[in-house]
Amino acid sequence: MTATLLRTAADLHARARTGRRAVVMTMGALHEGHATLIRTARKIAGPEGEVVVTVFVNPLQFGAGEDLDRYPRTLDADVELAGKSGADVVFAPSVDEVYPGGEPQVRISAGPMGERLEGAARPGHFDGMLTVVAKLLHLTRPDVALYGQKDAQQLALIRRMVRDLNFGVEIVGVPTVREEDGLALSSRNRYLSPAERRTALALSQALFAGSDRHAAQEALRARAREVPASRARAEALSAIGESRAAADAHAVATTAGGPAAVRAAARQVLDEAARLDPPLQLDYLALVDPSDFTEIGDDFTGEAVLAVAARVGSTRLIDNIPLTFGTFGDAS
């Protein structure tokens, strides 16, 4: 399948629409993660619909000293990959097309959520991101827009903007795509030397360590709900060799700090990576509520996000993994 390259919104609006339009927004340098988004968009749009991939390196998202000038620009390869993945159109507008007359005087504010984690590390980043996303939604006029969950805070803010400002579009999050060794796919991975890439693996390894600790705790708590720790029950279980298991489960179930243990397991991996050559320089490790990206407490139940950001050499990387606390049912 060959994708049509369009440069102006007028050309895009002139296309006849017969089904749902699904949009995937990118800054180019497409890789398998983007291809997964495009294939998902193709399924959602269906054979009668249309998939549009935007390629636009947004200057408003780059702060002082960030990598706007060296951000990879590979439009020919992007058009080819987009077409092979199921896109009908690649919309690659110029800066003047998106921001006629220069930088916009009126912008969207990300609010308090946009000042946390990534927003604290990159002031103004999310204001610029939401402004261009809003503009591209208006320019492309989709029925559905898809974004990767690797940028979890970005996805949460887009969902909040669409809800708070009554955008008539459905937002779909697509799970993070990883390489075989666990490293999350990113356009910035190409900046890593072989040694830096080995160190960078600590990001996903830390998340998996936290996830494994979480899964073990949730399983033991679920068992404890099913096995009361009464003396009579323990004596009965001892006859079949399960008293120790019951006692262990009860101990875990009554020990506070599930989220704290998850953070500690992830932190241990990151601390070890800080001693590697080259070292990992941690920006943050956070276990947050995805509705507002505030840290969760020990009594938290529901969906959460374990997120990490770090530098390896001159390259800054982010990653995250979703977790759910309180998966076991109520006691009967």
Side-chain angles (χ1 to χ4, degrees):
M1 183 174 181
T2 301
T4 300
L5 176 63
L6 299 178
R7 294 287 195 170
T8 69
D11 289 339
L12 181 60
H13 297 166
R15 290 177 61 89
R17 295 179 61 167
T18 58
R20 301 184 80 196
R21 174 177 284 176
V23 165
V24 174
M25 296 184 186
T26 82
M27 291 206 299
L30 303 189
H31 49 63
E32 181 58 28
H34 298 109
T36 298
L37 283 166
I38 297 167
R39 288 192 291 267
T40 304
R42 181 77 270 164
K43 292 178 182 178
I44 290 173
E48 302 301 320
E50 181 180 56
V51 174
V52 177
V53 175
T54 69
V55 174
F56 181 66
V57 181
N58 179 32
L60 299 190
Q61 289 177 238
F62 291 80
E66 292 190 333
D67 54 358
L68 173 61
D69 291 338
R70 75 165 184 155
Y71 195 88
R73 291 162 172 82
T74 57
L75 184 58
D76 290 342
D78 293 344
V79 173
E80 182 178 359
L81 185 148
K84 289 181 179 179
S85 303
D88 299 290
V89 173
V90 171
F91 177 52
S94 66
V95 173
D96 288 340
E97 176 74 11
V98 177
Y99 301 121
E103 290 191 6
Q105 297 299 301
V106 176
R107 307 187 187 193
I108 291 178
S109 170
M113 195 198 315
E115 298 172 357
R116 299 172 185 136
L117 299 186
E118 283 300 291
R122 306 174 66 188
H125 166 73
F126 285 127
D127 292 353
M129 179 276 293
L130 289 179
T131 298
V132 79
V133 167
K135 294 206 66 157
L136 289 172
L137 287 174
H138 291 315
L139 291 172
T140 59
R141 302 175 183 174
D143 300 289
V144 57
L146 298 89
Y147 303 89
Q149 291 179 357
K150 185 179 84 70
D151 297 297
Q153 194 171 2
Q154 170 180 283
L155 174 60
L157 280 162
I158 292 171
R159 282 178 165 150
R160 193 60 178 257
M161 177 185 72
V162 166
R163 182 171 69 251
D164 288 354
L165 301 184
N166 301 101
F167 280 66
V169 60
E170 177 187 356
I171 303 299
V172 173
V174 178
T176 300
V177 179
R178 300 183 180 278
E179 300 191 35
E180 290 186 2
D181 56 10
L183 187 69
L185 285 176
S186 170
S187 301
R188 290 186 168 92
N189 290 352
R190 68 186 67 194
Y191 301 150
L192 298 169
S193 70
E196 289 171 342
R197 196 183 184 287
R198 287 191 293 272
T199 295
L201 290 176
L203 273 77
S204 57
Q205 290 169 349
L207 297 178
F208 297 150
S211 178
D212 289 346
R213 177 69 60 85
H214 167 69
Q217 288 185 322
E218 291 291 297
L220 285 171
R221 286 194 173 93
R223 176 169 186 149
R225 301 283 287 206
E226 298 170 357
V227 183
S230 68
R231 181 174 180 178
R233 180 60 171 156
E235 289 175 352
L237 288 171
S238 66
I240 55 174
E242 294 187 11
S243 60
R244 178 60 183 274
D248 288 347
H250 178 71
V252 171
T254 56
T255 300
V262 170
R263 292 185 185 96
R267 172 74 67 171
Q268 181 177 353
V269 175
L270 298 170
D271 287 346
E272 292 171 357
R275 296 189 288 270
L276 296 176
D277 183 18
L280 181 141
Q281 299 171 298
L282 182 65
D283 277 2
Y284 63 77
L285 172 70
L287 184 55
V288 299
D289 182 338
S291 69
D292 59 8
F293 269 70
T294 57
E295 290 280 351
I296 65 171
D298 289 338
D299 60 348
F300 180 86
T301 59
E303 296 182 359
V305 172
L306 181 62
V308 62
R311 291 185 181 275
V312 182
S314 62
T315 303
R316 187 174 185 277
L317 301 171
I318 63 173
D319 201 353
N320 71 85
I321 194 169
L323 301 174
T324 302
F325 288 83
T327 56
F328 49 84
D330 293 336
S332 56

